[in-house]
């Protein structure tokens, strides 16, 4: 079984979205496909099970949250 989720994260500016994307992009490694469009970061998360998908989402959102806080400063 495959499980998918699309995240759409909107930032205050295109520069913030790009910086967050660059900060967390290294962790994508086959589990996440992410792009930036304007001030929106879109990430498609793919996994082999729902439990694994939830783990990946939790990790991705934690990294995005930390990066977003750093970019704001």
């Amino acid at each position: 079984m495959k499980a998918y989720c699309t995240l759409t994260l909107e930032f205050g500016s295109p520069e913030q979205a790009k910086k967050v994307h660059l900060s967390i992009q290294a962790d994508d490694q086959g589990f996440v496909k992410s792009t930036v469009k304007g001030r929106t970061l879109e990430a498609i998360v793919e996994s082999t099970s729902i439990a694994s998908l939830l783990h990946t989402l939790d990790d991705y959102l934690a990294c995005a949250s930390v990066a977003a806080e750093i970019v704001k400063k």
Side-chain angles (χ1 to χ4, degrees):
M1 176 176 101
K2 291 262 184 177
Y4 299 91
C5 180
T6 301
L7 294 172
T8 304
L9 306 173
E10 191 172 305
F11 295 91
S13 69
E15 292 77 24
Q16 287 179 336
K18 288 177 192 173
K19 287 178 182 178
V20 170
H21 181 247
L22 289 173
S23 297
I24 61 177
Q25 182 177 11
D27 290 334
D28 289 359
Q29 298 182 2
F31 299 104
V32 181
K33 294 178 181 130
S34 56
T35 58
V36 174
K37 297 174 187 168
R39 46 188 211 132
T40 302
L41 169 61
E42 182 175 286
I44 300 171
V45 182
E46 178 182 334
S47 190
T48 56
S49 70
I50 293 173
S52 179
L53 177 70
L54 291 173
H55 182 269
T56 302
L57 286 169
D58 183 53
D59 186 49
Y60 190 85
L61 289 171
C63 291
S65 178
V66 169
E69 287 301 314
I70 292 169
V71 166
K72 281 183 191 177
K73 296 182 180 197

